[in-house]
Amino acid sequence: MQQKKLAVAIAAAYGFVFTYAPEAQAQAAALAVAAISDTAANAVEAGAAADGTAAAGADVSQVIASVTVSTRRRNETSQSVPTTMSVLDSKALEDNRVYRVQDLQQLLPSTTVNYVHARQISFAVRGLGNNPASDGLEGSVGLYLDNVYLARPGMAAFDALDIQQLELLRGPQGTLFGKNTTAGVLNITTKQPTFRSENSASLSVGQEGYVQGKAVVSGAFSDTAAGRLSAYKTHEDGYITNLYNGSKVQGGDRSGVRGQVLLEPDNKLSARLIADYNVEDSNNGTLVFFNAGPSGKFLTQAAAVGAHPVTDPTLRQVNLDSGSHVDVHQGGVSGEVNWKLDNDYKFTSISAYRFWNFTPHNDDGLDVPILLNVGASARHRQFTQELRLATPLGRDVESVYGAYYYYQNLDNINFFVNGPLADKFNATPIGAWNNVVSNTYGHLRVNSYALFAQTIWHIDPKWDLTGGLRATYEDKLATVRRDAPVGPAVTGAALAVRTARYGAFDSGEVHLSNLSPSALLTLAYKVDSDVLAFGSISHGEKSGGINLSVPGAAGVSSLKVNNEKANNFELGIKSNLLERRAQVNASLFWNDVKGYQSNAFDRVSSTQYLTNAGTVRSRGVELDASLVVARGFTLGANGSFNDVKYKEYKNAPCPVEINATYCDLSGRAALVNAPRWIGNLNAAYAHAVADNAEAYGNINYAYRSSTYGTLDASEYARIPAYSLTNLSAGVKIKRGSTKWDLSLWAKNVFDKHYYTSLWNTSPAAYNSVIGTPRQLGVTARADF
């Protein structure tokens, strides 16, 4: 019977892909065959809680462990939650050497992390959410750290430190989470203080000058108080060579510390106080030339000023007289209080303050002084307050009611510092742009208020009905002011060109108010104790935003970006099979998004700006599976097929190969960095080799199909498909009270050259972010 359930579950998901996308049958077959397993990361997500429902006599070492989540603001096993989600625990992150958020896409289905540096980063789920470097709005995917919303995606750009687990929820969220989102939520939970002593230290050393040290100390102050202190420091030389001075770039230093106190005066009250601080001093953000488009204009301009760009991106080289630099300081404090009332109601309060300071330095990408410095610095402050009241568990109707407040204050400076060859490179009148400095000052203030509620009705032992509502009201005020340019005195044509490009501008106060509703309705059916089927309908809205940049010809009105609205339909199944030795989770989804918010490139000003990129449809299938083959041996796979395209986008920016003002992308699968196919395979094996000694090994394979790298959907800006393979092997030894772990690892084993994102950075040309080359290393860890 169990084998039949497994076959049916796999066939259902495989059959959908086969019917839905006949042009991709070969790839569908590969994913379907791999679907008897799940990533080692998701192997922890499984089963019912330790409630005795596992088959009698099953060896606990040969079943998939259950994992507890709190996505519905109550502790329950992930397999009992009728929501499409994936979970990664600390072991999965460590085994696969994933310590940066940009590498999470190698473990998660339907996920893309578009990364240049801490400001130009975005998280996308099911093809939705690639809108980086947008100070004027939030992301389509909500990021949370210990239940605290992170308003800027770059606030998650720190090394994974003392992580308990990551939960990725796909689809519109908002009826329980603090902020409303349209594509999903990434919930990061760190390990909390323990009342027993729990200490560890680790050191990793690898190629390209990689060194990372971590330390954790945790224990009790008294019977009612415990503390935890975690710290890390990472150094990387970089993996791109700058021919100008022989230095290495795309590396640097990162460090951070987190301190916590847990107070539990009795069994009804607990309070967790957290403070953290992270610093980055790096030359991340170094872009590599990708191509010069159909005209080759960029190369002609470079030759005219005596520049020598590296035109072969596979060499992993640049030629920069200045280069990139990123300086980031961020941190915050938060307090979470949980109080169980006498009537078994639970009251929760989460208060938090966070800051994020980002200062970049970028040049023109050439070895001559054209553009000496360009970029946008940001100073972000936020305060959040969340209040929740949960009814007692075990009743026919269980509810959570909440209120949420979010305040943001952000200031940024967009700056240009031109060199003496700016006019010659751009063919502008002499004196127009040479040695000109221009600064634009943006300010944004946000007040956001929300009321939300979610209720679960246990109709009978097999049927549950979940409904949720949320109302969010946001008031935004922004100003954009560009000072008159500073530079040598000019007249005539040169002055006219300078004024057109860098002339003074003052938007005055720009106001934007939005009411954004969210709703959820889910019907779940327990086929039996091991199989849960569900269907859901949800509506999510993300509030509009304001461009913190000087507008084009459309004027001040174009600074405003309208709401992003999503209607999502989903069918899913979660199953534990073969006496809990196998797990198969699958989902079908269809999400229509109106007013999709994205980034576009203005060819005239060579700047990025926000826009509502028409109506988007995202539909497809996701599969998450795992199999315990034998004691200590787990196979895993997850994958997604996503048919995402513009239903209507008639005024899209044109690619460089088309000479027109606007182009029509309606009906085209042309979204930025939205691969149709994503697949991740994993194998993990551990075996006792002696008393108190265990050997282990892990293999991870990740595949992503080709996709467009920029909003204009140019064939010259297409990211090729690529796959990566990572390996690790080690031994764990216990000596007294100390556990030692020594491992060897290899990332990108076959040294694949690949691109993670593309950017319009010069007229009719594209630059790229290239992935890390093969890296070998060793890690030593002690737990004591």
Side-chain angles (χ1 to χ4, degrees), residues 439-498:
N439 291 314
T440 302
Y441 302 90
H443 171 74
L444 177 66
R445 187 214 64 201
V446 178
N447 282 287
S448 177
Y449 313 86
L451 295 175
F452 58 89
Q454 184 163 302
T455 295
I456 305 171
W457 177 23
H458 302 291
I459 302 172
D460 61 31
K462 287 186 173 292
W463 291 93
D464 283 351
L465 182 65
T466 302
L469 289 172
R470 176 193 181 92
T472 302
Y473 175 78
E474 293 196 337
D475 176 63
K476 299 185 177 183
L477 180 149
T479 59
V480 179
R481 188 191 85 248
R482 183 165 66 191
D483 290 345
V486 176
V490 292
T491 58
L495 178 60
V497 170
R498 178 187 295 183

Side-chain angles (χ1 to χ4, degrees), residues 490-515:
V490 292
T491 58
L495 178 60
V497 170
R498 178 187 295 183
T499 301
R501 179 68 173 86
Y502 300 111
F505 173 83
D506 192 340
S507 68
E509 291 189 351
V510 180
H511 293 267
L512 181 65
S513 297
N514 295 115
L515 179 62

Side-chain angles (χ1 to χ4, degrees), residues 447-740:
N447 282 287
S448 177
Y449 313 86
L451 295 175
F452 58 89
Q454 184 163 302
T455 295
I456 305 171
W457 177 23
H458 302 291
I459 302 172
D460 61 31
K462 287 186 173 292
W463 291 93
D464 283 351
L465 182 65
T466 302
L469 289 172
R470 176 193 181 92
T472 302
Y473 175 78
E474 293 196 337
D475 176 63
K476 299 185 177 183
L477 180 149
T479 59
V480 179
R481 188 191 85 248
R482 183 165 66 191
D483 290 345
V486 176
V490 292
T491 58
L495 178 60
V497 170
R498 178 187 295 183
T499 301
R501 179 68 173 86
Y502 300 111
F505 173 83
D506 192 340
S507 68
E509 291 189 351
V510 180
H511 293 267
L512 181 65
S513 297
N514 295 115
L515 179 62
S516 307
S518 301
L520 169 72
L521 188 65
T522 300
L523 183 63
Y525 175 66
K526 298 176 184 176
V527 179
D528 58 32
S529 61
D530 289 324
V531 179
L532 175 70
F534 60 92
S536 67
I537 302 174
S538 58
H539 174 81
E541 288 195 20
K542 185 161 68 75
S543 61
I546 303 177
N547 277 299
L548 297 184
S549 59
V550 176
V556 173
S557 62
S558 66
L559 293 178
K560 297 182 181 181
V561 182
N562 294 326
N563 280 21
E564 181 177 284
K565 304 177 181 181
N567 293 313
N568 186 65
F569 306 89
E570 199 144 347
L571 294 174
I573 186 169
K574 294 186 174 185
S575 58
N576 297 306
L577 309 168
L578 304 178
E579 296 182 321
R580 297 194 184 276
R581 290 181 174 86
Q583 180 183 112
V584 176
N585 297 339
S587 61
L588 310 179
F589 62 89
W590 185 304
N591 194 356
D592 280 328
V593 182
K594 294 183 178 179
Y596 180 60
Q597 298 169 345
S598 189
N599 261 8
F601 181 74
D602 185 344
R603 294 190 198 176
V604 177
S605 62
S606 297
T607 58
Q608 304 282 340
Y609 65 95
L610 293 174
T611 183
N612 290 106
T615 302
V616 172
R617 184 207 64 211
S618 172
R619 64 182 180 182
V621 59
E622 297 163 331
L623 196 62
D624 241 327
S626 56
L627 174 67
V628 178
V629 179
R631 179 176 297 148
F633 182 26
T634 301
L635 292 177
N638 65 58
S640 58
F641 167 77
N642 185 18
D643 177 29
V644 58
K645 63 177 57 177
Y646 292 109
K647 293 178 65 176
E648 184 178 7
Y649 191 15
K650 296 182 178 180
N651 61 339
C654 289
V656 293
E657 59 266 33
I658 297 178
N659 185 20
T661 304
Y662 296 109
C663 287
D664 188 354
L665 293 180
S666 302
R668 292 188 57 187
L671 271 75
V672 175
N673 223 335
R676 174 164 288 211
W677 291 96
I678 295 177
N680 302 304
L681 307 178
N682 183 273
Y685 182 69
H687 180 69
V689 293
D691 290 342
N692 298 322
E694 178 185 80
Y696 64 89
N698 297 277
I699 302 175
N700 174 260
Y701 172 86
Y703 170 82
R704 305 177 69 81
S705 62
S706 64
T707 181
Y708 288 106
T710 57
L711 184 64
D712 57 21
S714 170
E715 291 303 322
Y716 290 88
R718 194 164 182 88
I719 300 174
Y722 67 90
S723 61
L724 300 174
T725 303
N726 302 321
L727 303 174
S728 67
V731 60
K732 297 179 181 179
I733 302 173
K734 184 176 181 180
R735 289 288 183 265
S737 60
T738 303
K739 297 178 181 178
W740 296 91

Side-chain angles (χ1 to χ4, degrees), residues 416-435:
F416 289 84
V417 181
N418 290 340
L421 294 179
D423 288 323
K424 187 175 182 179
F425 179 82
N426 293 285
T428 48
I430 298 300
W433 292 2
N434 280 352
N435 302 308

